[in-house]
Amino acid sequence: MSEKTCAACDCPLDENAFQVKVGGKTVEVCCEECAQKLDAAYVSAQSPGGN
């Protein structure tokens, strides 16, 4: 059986894990901080790059 890990930090998920939607996909994270990091990374990736 494969162990589930946090989508942001790859830490093993325990009973405190929760699901968040990022870019229309549901992912599991270990804490609110990781949820915020994923959301910020998604928003950053969606914004146009360059100067």
Side-chain angles (χ1 to χ4, degrees):
M1 182 171 95
S2 64
E3 189 174 325
K4 290 185 177 184
T5 58
C6 176
C9 69
D10 280 339
C11 292
L13 294 175
D14 60 16
E15 65 277 353
N16 297 319
F18 59 99
Q19 296 181 339
V20 293
K21 277 204 167 199
V22 178
K25 293 184 178 183
T26 302
V27 296
E28 288 186 295
V29 293
C30 62
C31 64
E32 183 63 32
E33 184 179 343
C34 283
Q36 292 173 0
K37 286 179 185 178
L38 277 183
D39 188 53
Y42 177 76
V43 169
S44 177
Q46 297 306 304
S47 61
N51 292 325

